[in-house]
């Protein structure tokens, strides 16, 4: 329920006498206005990110400061917010339908928002470079995650893979599916390998056999037994076949890609990221071990993986 304005009184800090609220408000407005005039700055600035305010500032060239002032009509108690309310909506527009500032549409509000800074132009690419490579990749159906040929070549060059001979095969003391194998790798001491070949080969079928081994993987313990190399094998479902070096191979023969040379850039310990880049491309093709279609060979010929279908993985 509304009460007469005259019932409200305000004790002004400027005077100890009680006076009507409207008179006190006018005195405060006058005081604030005079202080702002002396300082040369208004007390409240308009938010430049407000699209309604921004539109009117740009369109009507009004002051960028907010000011609150009483209506000039002494019978009106409305407070105008300058610069947006030049005329009092309670008494200045009687008999008129026009408004001082027409309502904005959503499109106008969005258009008045500050524009984001343009992104820097990408560096110029060599003609025929990445665009052609991207087209070839799309045409071949390669996935976006596949390793590029250059990256794969670098990763393969870091892998030290050679021909080794299995000297002995024993059951792992704790893991039912693992053999503990001693390798003759042409070094002073044999290399020990844990291989998951139980049930795939009999120990007597492996003993004395030439195999292809990765020599610079980081040594690790498998169920408590140290493994310091890895025997390469292909798999198709439950079928597993070790990668066989060509006839006439000798212990220490290095593996490389057909048409290329043996890498001289193999580190003592292979970074796992290089091996992870090679493995997805290591597959069986026409009974041969391949890296992205290139046959893996030694100086004696191609390395084979018998009895496995094309596309079978090698790891």
């Amino acid at each position: 329920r509304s009460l007469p304005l005259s019932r409200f009184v305000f004790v002004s800090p400027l005077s100890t006498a009680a006076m009507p609220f409207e008179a006190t408000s006018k005195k405060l407005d006058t005081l604030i206005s005079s202080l702002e005039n002396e300082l040369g700055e208004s007390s409240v600035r308009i938010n430049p990110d407000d699209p309604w305010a921004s539109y009117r500032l740009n369109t009507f060239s009004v002051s960028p400061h907010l000011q609150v002032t009483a209506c000039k009509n002494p019978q009106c108690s409305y407070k105008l917010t300058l610069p947006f309310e030049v005329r009092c909506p309670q008494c200045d527009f009687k008999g008129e339908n026009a408004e001082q500032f027409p309502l904005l549409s959503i499109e106008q509000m969005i258009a008045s928002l500050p524009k984001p800074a343009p992104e820097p132009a990408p560096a110029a690419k060599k003609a025929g470079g990445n665009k052609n490579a991207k087209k070839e990749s799309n045409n071949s159906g390669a996935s976006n995650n596949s390793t590029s040929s250059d990256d794969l070549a670098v990763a393969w060059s870091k892998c030290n893979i050679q021909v080794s001979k299995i000297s002995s095969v024993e059951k792992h003391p704790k893991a039912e599916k693992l053999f503990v194998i001693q390798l003759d790798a042409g070094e002073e001491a044999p290399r020990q390998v844990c291989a998951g070949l139980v049930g795939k080969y009999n120990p007597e079928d492996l003993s004395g056999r030439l195999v292809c081994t990765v020599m610079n993987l980081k040594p690790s313990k498998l169920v408590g037994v140290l493994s310091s190399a890895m025997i390469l094998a292909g798999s198709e479902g439950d079928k597993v076949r070790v990668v066989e070096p060509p006839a006439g191979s000798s212990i220490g023969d290095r593996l490389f890609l057909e048409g290329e040379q043996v890498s001289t850039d193999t580190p003592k310990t292979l970074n796992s990221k290089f091996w992870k880049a090679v493995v997805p491309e290591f597959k069986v093709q026409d009974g041969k071990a391949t890296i992205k279609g290139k046959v893996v060979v030694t100086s004696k010929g191609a390395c084979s993986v018998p009895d496995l279908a094309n596309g079978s993985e090698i790891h």
Side-chain angles (χ1 to χ4, degrees):
R1 188 177 62 179
S2 61
L3 297 174
L5 187 62
S6 60
R7 294 282 302 277
F8 290 87
V9 295
F10 178 79
V11 178
S12 170
L14 306 179
S15 171
T16 57
M19 62 184 70
F21 175 80
E22 185 173 336
T24 303
S25 175
K26 287 183 179 180
K27 284 192 175 184
L28 286 175
D29 285 342
T30 302
L31 176 60
I32 292 171
S33 178
S34 63
L35 289 174
E36 289 176 342
N37 289 335
E38 287 186 26
L39 295 173
E41 184 178 347
S42 295
S43 55
V44 182
R45 288 190 60 84
I46 295 172
N47 181 2
D49 294 328
D50 178 3
W52 184 83
S54 177
Y55 175 81
R56 284 154 178 76
L57 287 172
N58 295 332
T59 305
F60 297 99
S61 301
V62 292
S63 168
H65 298 279
L66 289 175
Q67 295 178 352
V68 178
T69 185
C71 177
K72 296 179 181 179
N73 184 351
Q75 305 300 321
C76 179
S77 61
Y78 187 83
K79 305 295 182 183
L80 289 83
T81 302
L82 301 177
F84 300 126
E85 291 182 310
V86 180
R87 299 171 63 185
C88 176
Q90 288 189 357
C91 56
D92 270 12
F93 288 93
K94 290 181 179 179
E96 298 183 22
N97 293 324
E99 54 178 314
Q100 180 70 10
F101 299 112
L103 185 64
L104 288 178
S105 66
I106 295 176
E107 290 76 12
Q108 288 174 314
M109 289 186 181
I110 294 175
S112 67
L113 290 172
K115 302 298 185 291
E119 295 183 2
K125 298 179 180 179
K126 294 182 179 179
N130 292 339
K131 289 185 178 179
N132 292 338
K134 186 175 181 181
K135 287 181 181 178
E136 291 174 5
S137 175
N138 291 338
N139 291 337
S140 64
S143 95
N144 292 333
N145 294 326
S146 63
T147 307
S148 70
S149 297
D150 289 344
D151 292 340
L152 181 60
V154 171
W156 172 257
S157 71
K158 304 296 182 182
C159 300
N160 182 6
I161 307 178
Q162 69 164 59
V163 176
S164 300
K165 184 177 181 179
I166 297 177
S167 300
S168 66
V169 182
E170 297 178 352
K171 283 288 191 73
H172 192 289
K174 296 181 180 180
E176 294 181 355
K177 295 184 179 181
L178 294 178
F179 283 132
V180 179
I181 297 174
Q182 302 299 322
L183 290 175
D184 180 358
E187 300 171 331
E188 292 183 2
R191 290 272 192 129
Q192 181 170 276
V193 177
C194 294
L197 298 175
V198 174
K200 314 301 180 184
Y201 287 90
N202 295 320
E204 57 271 21
D205 295 331
L206 291 173
S207 185
R209 188 176 192 139
L210 291 177
V211 290
C212 300
T213 54
V214 185
M215 305 301 292
N216 60 342
L217 290 174
K218 184 179 179 180
S220 61
K221 286 187 176 182
L222 299 181
V223 198
V225 176
L226 183 67
S227 182
S228 56
M230 186 174 73
I231 298 173
L232 290 178
S235 62
E236 178 189 357
D238 293 333
K239 188 190 297 185
V240 176
R241 294 290 183 268
V242 296
V243 177
E244 299 178 356
S249 292
S250 303
I251 296 172
D253 285 352
R254 291 283 302 279
L255 275 63
F256 55 96
L257 298 182
E258 189 174 37
E260 299 182 9
Q261 301 295 320
V262 173
S263 173
T264 58
D265 191 28
T266 54
K268 183 177 180 180
T269 302
L270 180 65
N271 190 314
S272 61
K273 71 177 182 180
F274 293 128
W275 185 241
K276 289 178 181 177
V278 168
V279 168
E281 308 297 342
F282 218 159
K283 298 184 184 297
V284 177
Q285 184 68 36
D286 299 330
K288 298 176 182 179
T290 65
I291 295 288
K292 208 165 188 177
K294 288 189 175 183
V295 179
V296 178
V297 301
T298 72
S299 58
K300 309 299 192 305
C303 298
S304 60
V305 193
D307 304 327
L308 295 184
N310 288 346
S312 298
E313 298 177 349
I314 298 174
H315 41 77

